[in-house]
Amino acid sequence: MAAVLAEELDDWVADPAVRTRHRRRAAAPPDDLWAAARAVRLSETGKLGRLVRWRIPGTAPNQTFRGLLSEYPFVVLAEGERWSMSGLCGRIWTLNRDYPRLDGPQAFRAWAEPGTVRVLFAHWVEADGDGGSSIFSEARIAPVDRAAEVRLRSLWMLIGVFERLIGVESLEVAVARAERRA
């Protein structure tokens, strides 16, 4: 994991109760793949886009994932060349849009409200060495306390099986777009 080091992810959320990771390879240079990923819109991802818009009402279908992850209810935690990390906090199992406003990375790091979780989203691109590249997506969810852990485990039992089906949609769109340009 060259672009986003495991230690960096661990620095934000070291011991998640839930962790997902996806990778897709592209026959395209890393810069092209990263540019393609930054341009993927919710409307291009089918189920994932609809799920995001259902969970975060008011989100426009033409919103890019890059834009989504840099605006309320998310906060950009850190970013660099071909990588980005964002986070949000709150009660992700409710249907209310009652996520707190985080005024920066330190607010995410310090978050400790009982009955809530901290959620980290990391995306990065690495060169494969043969002119191609791979795009990665990792999510980590850490409950603040035991009550949140119980709620998160219940939620994950219901939706965890679907995550594998929709978690790669945006990566596949980025790969297809980058390969068309290459």
Side-chain angles (χ1 to χ4, degrees):
M1 193 187 314
V4 177
L5 302 174
E7 297 82 29
E8 245 184 294
L9 294 173
D10 288 346
D11 187 45
W12 290 100
V13 176
D15 190 25
V18 173
R19 177 183 168 195
T20 67
R21 189 165 190 228
H22 300 284
R23 176 187 180 192
R24 289 294 182 265
R25 188 179 186 296
D31 288 337
D32 290 356
L33 182 53
W34 186 243
R38 291 173 60 92
V40 173
R41 297 186 180 285
L42 293 166
S43 60
E44 296 176 287
T45 59
K47 292 176 187 76
L48 177 59
R50 287 191 298 275
L51 178 64
V52 168
R53 290 179 40 236
W54 174 65
R55 293 297 295 133
I56 306 174
T59 303
N62 67 344
Q63 171 73 283
T64 64
F65 280 91
R66 172 67 188 123
L68 174 75
L69 293 170
S70 64
E71 299 173 355
Y72 173 78
F74 298 92
V75 62
V76 174
L77 302 175
E79 59 187 341
E81 184 181 6
R82 298 192 307 248
W83 66 273
S84 180
M85 288 189 285
S86 296
L88 71 80
C89 298
R91 293 173 181 86
I92 62 173
W93 43 84
T94 71
L95 296 179
N96 299 326
R97 185 180 179 173
D98 60 352
Y99 301 108
R101 287 196 180 272
L102 301 174
D103 60 1
Q106 286 311 114
F108 177 87
R109 188 180 304 280
W111 185 261
E113 181 164 330
T116 63
V117 296
R118 294 184 313 132
V119 184
L120 169 75
F121 295 95
H123 300 89
W124 68 96
V125 170
E126 295 179 8
D128 279 351
D130 63 355
S133 54
S134 291
I135 185 166
F136 297 82
S137 175
E138 184 166 328
R140 295 179 177 197
I141 308 174
V144 168
D145 59 14
R146 179 77 176 127
E149 183 177 0
V150 169
R151 287 188 180 104
L152 176 60
R153 293 272 180 218
S154 298
L155 173 68
W156 198 249
M157 285 176 41
L158 293 172
I159 67 167
V161 294
F162 300 108
E163 191 280 333
R164 283 179 258 131
L165 302 173
I166 64 173
V168 297
E169 284 183 339
S170 61
L171 304 184
E172 290 172 346
V173 171
V175 166
R177 180 176 285 152
E179 289 181 339
R180 280 193 304 271
R181 290 182 188 166

